Amino acid sequence: MKGDKMNPSRQEFRSIPKAFSKSDVALQNAIKVQGIGTATTSWDKLLIDLRDMDPLKLDSTIIIRDCDFLKNAIIKEHESIVKVIQLLQQGKPNDLKKAFKIVREKRLREDDAIDADGGMIQLAIAVAALLLAGCLDDCDDEIETPPEEGECAGHPCPK
């Protein structure tokens, strides 16, 4: 849905397969961002769309390599990762450029993970699915049927 009542300039979530061109085609559209603005686009929200990927493409060997890649990145580049998160939270075009520059210079991009025989998109999908399934257990009594389009899965919808 284009726009929303809280922020009319907010755009729908969209995939950016070009950003994951080295990833398996079955996974390239699973990561989506929500654009903000009209003249320039920046992002402040990320969506992992479990419906838009093939679960049989999840390779445990790659996920293990991703865990190692991420572990090493956290050990060696913790401050850089914190800075990237802070810049992305601000969502301004110049801040996004700074974040992109950091991940490029520190070799923390998806392409870098793939070059190390991994690919973090699979790790993100697996972790998102496990977190979601684990969280739903706590809400099981509240959610008996899937929410209808526009409803908020048993939680108050933002006004």
Side-chain angles (χ1 to χ4, degrees):
M1 130 179 148
K2 288 273 185 194
D4 65 25
K5 291 179 183 173
M6 290 180 63
N7 184 349
S9 66
R10 190 169 300 282
Q11 301 166 3
E12 64 188 31
F13 280 98
R14 62 188 170 121
S15 61
I16 44 173
K18 180 169 80 170
F20 303 105
S21 61
K22 288 187 177 182
S23 297
D24 189 293
V25 173
L27 304 171
Q28 288 178 353
N29 293 307
I31 304 291
K32 295 177 171 61
V33 294
Q34 185 178 52
I36 298 176
T38 51
T40 61
T41 300
S42 62
W43 304 299
D44 69 343
K45 293 192 171 123
L46 177 78
L47 170 74
I48 297 176
D49 188 347
L50 298 176
R51 293 175 301 170
D52 208 354
M53 52 83 61
D54 180 354
L56 298 176
K57 295 293 183 176
L58 295 179
D59 181 336
S60 61
T61 314
I62 290 175
I63 294 172
I64 291 167
R65 288 186 198 122
D66 291 340
C67 288
D68 291 337
F69 182 87
L70 188 58
K71 176 184 173 185
N72 290 331
I74 291 169
I75 291 169
K76 295 176 184 173
E77 301 296 343
H78 177 71
E79 290 178 19
S80 297
I81 294 169
V82 168
K83 183 66 176 170
V84 166
I85 293 168
Q86 291 170 334
L87 290 166
L88 292 175
Q89 286 176 329
Q90 294 171 33
K92 298 174 187 165
N94 285 336
D95 293 329
L96 295 174
K97 288 178 185 178
K98 290 175 190 174
F100 297 151
K101 183 178 178 184
I102 291 170
V103 295
R104 189 179 319 111
E105 287 175 356
K106 302 296 182 177
R107 300 194 44 80
L108 299 173
R109 298 172 304 139
E110 174 68 2
D111 285 356
D112 300 316
I114 290 172
D115 290 345
D117 294 324
M120 291 186 291
I121 193 170
Q122 293 195 42
L123 176 61
I125 291 167
V127 169
L130 293 173
L131 283 172
L132 177 62
C135 293
L136 290 178
D137 186 43
D138 293 335
C139 297
D140 196 33
D141 293 337
E142 296 175 29
I143 304 172
E144 294 179 12
T145 59
E148 296 297 319
E149 181 94 14
E151 291 184 16
C152 296
H155 301 286
C157 289
K159 301 274 183 216

